[in-house]
Amino acid sequence: MIPADFLPPALGPQRTFALVAGVERYEISHRWNLRGPARDALRFAQWLTGPAQVPPGNLRLLLSPLDDPDALDWPDSPAMADLRAAYRPATEENVKAALLDELPQCDGDLLWIFWAGHGYLGPRQELMLPCADARPSQIRHLNLDSALRWWRTDLVKHRSFPLQAALVDSCRVDAPRDARINFGSTDYGGGSTVPGRRQFRLYASREGEAAQNDAERGAGRFTEALLTELGPRSLRESVSGLPAAARSIHRTFQDLRERGEGWQLPQFLVDRDWDACSFLDDDPTAPAPPGAARLDQQAWDGLGELFEGHELPRCAYEAYAWAFKAAGCTTPVGGGLPGDGLLEVVQDLDERQGGRGGMPPAVAFVRFLADRAAAAGDAVWAGRLVDWVHTTRERLALPVLPPPPPPARTTVVHVGLEPPPDGAPGFRARMWLSGERTEQIWESEGAPVRLDAVREELLRQLALVGAAPADGGGAGPRTPGGVDRIEFHVPYELLDTDFDQWPVPRGPAGRHRALGLLHQVVVRCPQERADTRAEWRTSWHWLCTRGGRHAEAVRVVQEAEITDALGMELAERPAPACVLAHTTAAPHAGLLEAVLEGGVPVAVWRRGGGAPEPPLLDLLAPAGPDGRPDPGALDVLALPARVREVRRAAAGAAGAAGAAAGGQRAAQQPAGEDQLVLLWDDPDDIPGFRSLA
């Protein structure tokens, strides 16, 4: 039983809503039909409108029975009579309309989702519930896991539906591998996760197991046991008692299993309780581990003053992730920040409370911000943040907080190229060295220079960057660790130039290596961002505040998608922040125009076009649970290093092939992976942005 203060004070029948679905008939084949789910849905709706006293107008009832709907055993009550007149078939269109359009607009405290019918697990172990209009060419379905993720985001009213319960009487077996049966890919997306929403899931079977249905009685075994537990309970009693009811059902099914009664052989599984904790393997009576202290009102008052007028800084996600580590607990799996403001992030951290060490993650978060503000030269704000941390620690008797890690240092050589104003051949060129500080290290003088001259000067500067002074004096090399990345700031026409293939002397006997194998090499085009600077900066900031990873951060653009409207489409939202081009034509045929017009800061393509084999996503993104590349796991902020890894792997494969061929090169041209071009426009790091003219 959960404590009474867990429930919203206003929770009652009027603020309770439900989607109730029972699917017996499927268009795909008569072999899919089964008897019982429609009756189960009616019985659950009867409990909602009966003992729970939920108004029938708060229910969305979807039924696709085997027989004529009028032949169903409709309970005799005014509420069920209203539902009899209002129910709809359980098609995908009706399911999405009810669950993703109508119910989210309601103002409630509790959402029930009851589903009875077939159920299958997709490649990523997501529960797919086929709808009545499922056909072989397209198994229209509800992706329950995706829908529940959607319901935890700010696409649902921020303070609505803090409690959500999904009760599913279906199998959870792997989807058929028949090529004629196509479930496709269904993901409803979502916004930012709203902290404080709690979800409870009850499934009739474990992963890989079938749920049993009594066709003669027209009832699912799970629904039968569930309604027995709910019985005459009121709404508030049923909600607070759901974990206890689940444990009781589990014990009943376990006893039947041990007695060898065949139809109960699949063990009932309860997924998680209201606190998202497994209560089947743990002792529910054991005391909860002590949590960390929470912020008091004085701390919140201080933060309100400190954060006023301050947007999320670039380091916000780093601070968020480190706060969990400092508090002794694990960073949330989903990635990204829980809100768009500093107070929202701290609220999320305070609600999580942290580990057993006693340090609130919120305090660690502010400490990290103070450290980075000081490093960025904002000594006033940094001092105020440090004072808040000090006084809060003393007042709440918090333990010592370890210092945050220093910011990662990346040494970058920026190479700026601009055509001369008179249209003469060649380029005006300038180079900067950016590390602990930024300094100009070279500028062309007099007549414009050719790219060959720029390459020779770049090689000379790279040799000087890590070299000790010739006379033995001074403080040593300017960058002891060498150059990490080379960024070419170029006019639009040079974006596809093979800078990464420039030969660099390496080793004995005049050996050369490609520049892109030794350093991270990217191209930039900041001069073309003038008209979409706001979209460009917004997209980059969105990416940074999500730690570089997000399900919507990366978009693969196919040939057919490159139209005159693509740039405007990309500019509509901060996501995507990265475009992977699967195009056969050269990128100047429209792709790069759309990327720059849309304010997208990152893009990857193959130089000169050509069929994208293997696909760029396969090259760059880690594999998901199903073995396929997962765009949401691709760290866009780490792409410069990742692209260099791909280039090195291609060079190694080519070398191995050459050795196998008797020392001859396997191919005259570099491998396709060597031809990757990475557009990397960080709007916060553009030294000397003024024109070279």
Side-chain angles (χ1 to χ4, degrees):
M1 185 74 67
I2 58 179
D5 60 2
F6 176 88
L7 302 178
L11 175 63
Q14 299 295 331
R15 295 187 58 77
T16 298
F17 294 81
L19 169 73
V20 180
V23 191
E24 296 182 343
R25 180 183 296 276
Y26 297 86
E27 291 184 17
I28 183 172
S29 169
H30 69 276
R31 295 185 178 89
W32 279 48
N33 295 345
L34 70 163
R35 189 175 298 279
R39 180 172 180 266
D40 289 340
L42 284 181
R43 290 195 297 161
F44 190 77
Q46 183 184 17
W47 175 81
L48 280 173
T49 58
Q53 298 183 344
V54 178
N58 289 12
L59 273 65
R60 303 297 185 270
L61 180 61
L62 306 178
L63 297 174
S64 291
L66 271 177
D67 305 319
D68 189 307
D70 291 333
L72 291 173
D73 185 16
W74 288 87
D76 185 14
S77 70
M80 293 304 296
D82 290 344
L83 288 175
R84 186 171 184 173
Y87 87 92
R88 290 172 282 180
T91 63
E92 183 188 39
E93 180 180 1
N94 288 337
V95 170
K96 291 173 66 176
L99 190 58
L100 302 180
D101 293 332
E102 300 167 15
L103 290 171
Q105 300 304 315
C106 301
D107 186 14
D109 291 323
L110 171 64
L111 172 73
W112 294 93
I113 299 175
F114 177 88
W115 188 286
H118 285 302
Y120 294 97
L121 293 177
R124 301 180 189 273
Q125 300 302 296
E126 294 182 320
L127 183 55
M128 301 183 297
L129 304 172
C131 299
D133 52 346
R135 300 169 185 169
S137 59
Q138 181 65 54
I139 308 296
R140 296 184 173 92
H141 65 278
L142 168 67
N143 184 330
L144 183 64
D145 291 273
S146 178
L148 290 174
R149 285 196 300 270
W150 189 94
W151 266 87
R152 296 191 69 169
T153 70
D154 56 5
L155 295 181
V156 180
K157 292 181 180 179
H158 183 69
R159 300 195 178 278
S160 295
F161 297 105
L163 302 180
Q164 302 163 16
L167 314 175
V168 183
D169 194 349
S170 77
C171 302
R172 297 174 73 202
V173 296
D174 290 339
R177 297 184 179 274
D178 191 331
R180 295 169 298 175
I181 297 179
N182 174 35
F183 275 90
S185 178
T186 301
D187 189 340
Y188 308 115
S192 301
T193 299
V194 175
R197 284 206 174 113
R198 307 190 184 213
Q199 291 181 340
F200 184 94
R201 306 187 195 191
L202 252 59
Y203 297 134
S205 58
R206 291 188 294 193
E207 291 183 357
E209 292 185 344
Q212 297 300 305
N213 184 62
D214 188 341
E216 292 184 4
R217 297 177 60 210
R221 302 296 185 180
F222 163 70
T223 302
E224 192 83 14
L226 173 66
L227 291 174
T228 299
E229 287 292 330
L230 293 176
R233 291 181 180 181
S234 69
L235 180 73
R236 293 182 72 90
E237 290 173 340
S238 66
V239 175
S240 62
L242 265 182
R247 282 192 289 270
S248 176
I249 296 171
H250 176 73
R251 285 192 296 267
T252 299
F253 273 67
Q254 183 64 36
D255 291 344
L256 292 169
R257 178 186 177 121
E258 291 174 356
R259 293 204 302 268
E261 299 188 23
W263 56 265
Q264 271 97 359
L265 187 58
Q267 183 181 7
F268 175 78
L269 172 77
V270 178
D271 191 15
R272 294 290 186 266
D273 68 6
W274 283 115
D275 286 322
C277 300
S278 173
F279 50 73
L280 297 184
D281 300 324
D282 301 330
D283 179 7
T285 63
R294 302 190 69 169
L295 300 184
D296 56 12
Q297 188 59 48
Q298 186 174 342
W300 283 110
D301 291 342
L303 287 179
E305 296 179 3
L306 280 172
F307 291 163
E308 185 177 1
H310 287 271
E311 297 181 352
L312 283 173
R314 179 169 174 165
C315 67
Y317 181 77
E318 293 178 79
Y320 181 72
W322 182 78
F324 288 95
K325 181 178 180 180
C329 48
T330 304
T331 307
V333 176
L337 292 174
D340 296 324
L342 286 168
L343 281 176
E344 292 178 81
V345 175
V346 173
Q347 180 183 4
D348 174 82
L349 291 169
D350 193 52
E351 289 179 349
R352 297 179 188 272
Q353 293 194 55
R356 303 185 184 186
M359 174 56 65
V363 176
F365 176 78
V366 177
R367 176 67 179 85
F368 193 102
L369 295 183
D371 189 74
R372 289 295 193 270
D378 192 350
V380 175
W381 196 48
R384 295 177 63 198
L385 293 170
V386 168
D387 290 342
W388 180 92
V389 171
H390 178 73
T391 56
T392 303
R393 279 191 54 237
E394 284 193 340
R395 190 173 61 257
L396 300 181
L398 301 179
V400 175
L401 184 63
R409 294 295 184 187
T410 301
T411 301
V412 180
V413 171
H414 298 266
V415 181
L417 299 174
E418 283 190 9
D422 58 2
F427 301 93
R428 292 177 175 271
R430 182 186 293 175
M431 297 182 191
W432 303 264
L433 179 63
S434 175
E436 293 186 4
R437 64 183 187 278
T438 299
E439 59 176 317
Q440 181 176 310
I441 55 177
W442 178 77
E443 181 175 4
S444 62
E445 299 178 356
V449 297
R450 296 166 54 90
L451 286 182
D452 288 345
V454 176
R455 178 179 63 83
E456 293 300 325
E457 183 59 35
L458 175 62
L459 298 183
R460 190 178 75 87
Q461 292 297 332
L462 291 176
L464 291 174
V465 163
D471 60 359
R478 284 186 285 184
T479 57
V483 173
D484 300 295
R485 185 163 63 243
I486 302 171
E487 302 187 358
F488 289 87
H489 302 242
V490 299
Y492 176 78
E493 294 75 15
L494 292 186
L495 283 175
D496 210 35
T497 304
D498 60 347
F499 297 112
D500 54 281
Q501 299 295 329
W502 279 3
V504 180
R506 185 79 168 183
R511 185 178 187 178
H512 289 77
R513 292 285 191 190
L515 186 67
L517 299 180
L518 303 178
H519 306 279
Q520 303 167 18
V521 175
V522 304
V523 293
R524 311 188 59 175
C525 197
Q527 294 89 340
E528 297 292 337
R529 303 285 189 176
D531 296 333
T532 56
R533 184 168 304 224
E535 292 86 350
W536 173 35
R537 291 185 175 276
T538 299
S539 184
W540 184 264
H541 185 264
W542 178 90
L543 179 67
C544 290
T545 55
R546 281 148 185 82
R549 295 183 180 91
H550 193 271
E552 299 179 6
V554 179
R555 174 170 171 179
V556 177
V557 174
Q558 306 289 347
E559 192 88 49
E561 298 177 82
I562 301 179
T563 65
D564 288 342
L566 179 60
M568 293 182 290
E569 178 186 341
L570 294 174
E572 288 179 352
R573 301 172 58 242
C578 173
V579 163
L580 304 183
H582 279 211
T583 57
T584 56
H588 295 117
L591 171 72
L592 293 185
E593 291 94 327
V595 166
L596 294 170
E597 181 186 1
V600 179
V602 182
V604 183
W605 67 91
R606 279 200 170 88
R607 181 174 297 110
E613 291 294 339
L616 297 180
L617 202 59
D618 290 358
L619 280 175
L620 301 173
D626 59 353
R628 296 184 299 177
D630 182 4
L634 175 58
D635 187 352
V636 179
L637 294 177
L639 268 180
R642 176 60 187 150
V643 168
R644 182 176 63 175
E645 290 176 5
V646 171
R647 289 169 176 155
R648 288 179 171 179
Q664 301 296 321
R665 284 186 58 86
Q668 294 298 318
Q669 298 297 326
E673 290 84 345
D674 271 351
Q675 300 301 306
L676 297 186
V677 185
L678 172 60
L679 173 69
W680 176 267
D681 263 337
D682 177 354
D684 298 327
D685 185 19
I686 306 181
F689 190 56
R690 64 181 177 83
S691 172
L692 291 171

